[in-house]
Amino acid sequence: MSTIIYPSPIFGPVRSRRLGISLGVNLMPADGKVCTFDCVYCECGFNADRRPTLPRPTREQVAATLEEKLKEMVSDGELPDVITFAGNGEPTAHPRFAEIVDDTLQLRNQYCPKAKVSVLSNSTFIHRPEVRAALMKIDNNILKLDTIDPIYINNVDRPTQKSYNVEDIIGHMKEFHGHIIIQTMFMQGTLSNGFSVDNTKEEYVAPWLDTIRQIAPQEVMIYTIDRETPDHNLKKASHETLDGICERVKAMGIKCSASY
């Protein structure tokens, strides 16, 4: 198994296809994965194969380790372009997420004021007022929306919460009033149960585009598989396919980038 489990609470810096030199903040345990999705393409593997034994890092541990790393990067003369909440699961699930965001913004302002603060989220906790308020404070509020089709979501993103409803998620995305970046994985292939994961088909793209228009985000980031996935039947979407979708987003007057 060559999927990735990240150190915690700080990892990197790593070079992100979409964000540049990124210093990672992992609010999940260092020895496993805790996520409200169980995506078939997750670079951290399937939830059941990555059960952690360690606790999540505390707010105090995150702040202390981040400050230590930022001091080191300042000393080395290599500052991050972005501080990114990502890692082994859903960052907004941490019970102290809002306070940790405040600490991170303070440290960013002190040590690397030009760096952006980003959160990569699957959107499952954006209904919580404290999470939404925290995401409004950061530079890049990057929220996942792979499709609006519930059957596809249940087969590919595989929410662990029975209450998950994509229409509710879309409604809460609109509440950011444009302070949101939509991130979408496009791919091809077929799961072992015969389900096609090809969301580049028009039956998926057209309603997704209509939803993007309704949400009116500041930006859309589309991408495809880059690292090994836990389900080995998945395939990259082509450059031409991603570029075509990207141009359709731009035609609506919304900034869009494609990563291959």
Side-chain angles (χ1 to χ4, degrees):
M1 184 184 298
S2 57
T3 47
I4 301 167
I5 289 295
Y6 291 95
S8 180
I10 305 300
F11 64 93
V14 298
R15 182 162 290 281
S16 165
R17 288 184 292 170
R18 297 176 290 281
L19 300 172
I21 299 174
S22 173
L23 182 62
V25 180
N26 176 19
L27 301 186
M28 297 301 117
D31 67 338
K33 180 187 173 192
V34 180
C35 196
T36 48
F37 274 6
D38 193 15
C39 298
V40 297
Y41 58 78
C42 181
E43 65 184 14
C44 296
F46 292 128
N47 292 356
D49 297 331
R50 299 293 196 176
R51 298 297 185 194
T53 61
L54 299 174
R56 293 183 175 108
T58 65
R59 174 188 179 181
E60 293 74 21
Q61 288 171 330
V62 175
T65 310
L66 177 59
E67 182 168 26
E68 181 181 0
K69 184 62 179 181
L70 289 176
K71 285 180 177 179
E72 176 187 319
M73 295 183 76
V74 169
S75 178
D76 293 342
E78 183 187 22
L79 297 178
D81 297 314
V82 61
I83 300 170
T84 306
F85 287 82
N88 307 335
E90 174 52 37
T92 63
H94 194 290
R96 305 296 298 278
F97 174 74
E99 294 98 328
I100 292 171
V101 165
D102 287 340
D103 296 339
T104 301
L105 290 170
Q106 180 179 346
L107 291 168
R108 184 276 307 270
N109 294 342
Q110 181 177 353
Y111 292 102
C112 51
K114 293 183 179 179
K116 305 292 187 182
V117 173
S118 301
V119 173
L120 301 180
S121 170
N122 64 22
S123 312
T124 49
F125 289 109
I126 60 173
H127 63 283
R128 294 181 174 177
E130 68 275 15
V131 169
R132 191 160 61 250
L135 293 175
M136 287 296 293
K137 297 177 182 179
I138 64 169
D139 302 286
N140 298 320
N141 172 31
I142 305 174
L143 302 183
K144 172 170 290 299
L145 186 66
D146 288 338
T147 179
I148 67 164
D149 184 274
I151 296 175
Y152 187 97
I153 291 168
N154 287 335
N155 278 275
V156 176
D157 296 319
R158 306 197 304 175
T160 62
Q161 301 164 314
K162 292 183 179 180
S163 61
Y164 182 89
N165 183 300
V166 69
E167 293 299 330
D168 290 342
I169 296 294
I170 292 166
H172 290 303
M173 286 179 166
K174 294 176 183 178
E175 293 173 359
F176 286 102
H177 302 293
H179 184 67
I180 176 177
I181 298 172
I182 297 294
Q183 183 185 69
T184 301
M185 165 71 81
F186 285 103
M187 59 183 177
Q188 298 176 316
T190 304
L191 300 181
S192 57
N193 64 4
F195 184 84
S196 171
V197 302
D198 186 356
N199 61 337
T200 68
K201 298 176 182 177
E202 188 63 16
E203 65 190 270
Y204 292 112
V205 174
W208 175 83
L209 284 168
D210 185 58
T211 302
I212 294 296
R213 183 185 294 107
Q214 295 175 40
I215 296 170
Q218 67 192 63
E219 184 177 350
V220 173
M221 295 177 173
I222 64 175
Y223 65 123
T224 193
I225 297 164
D226 184 46
R227 301 183 176 94
E228 184 168 350
T229 58
D231 188 305
H232 301 301
N233 297 313
L234 310 181
K235 299 177 182 178
K236 279 177 169 284
S238 69
H239 287 208
E240 294 78 13
T241 298
L242 289 183
D243 287 343
I245 296 171
C246 191
E247 290 304 315
R248 293 174 71 177
V249 175
K250 291 178 180 178
M252 296 190 294
I254 297 171
K255 180 181 178 181
C256 186
S257 62
S259 300
Y260 318 106

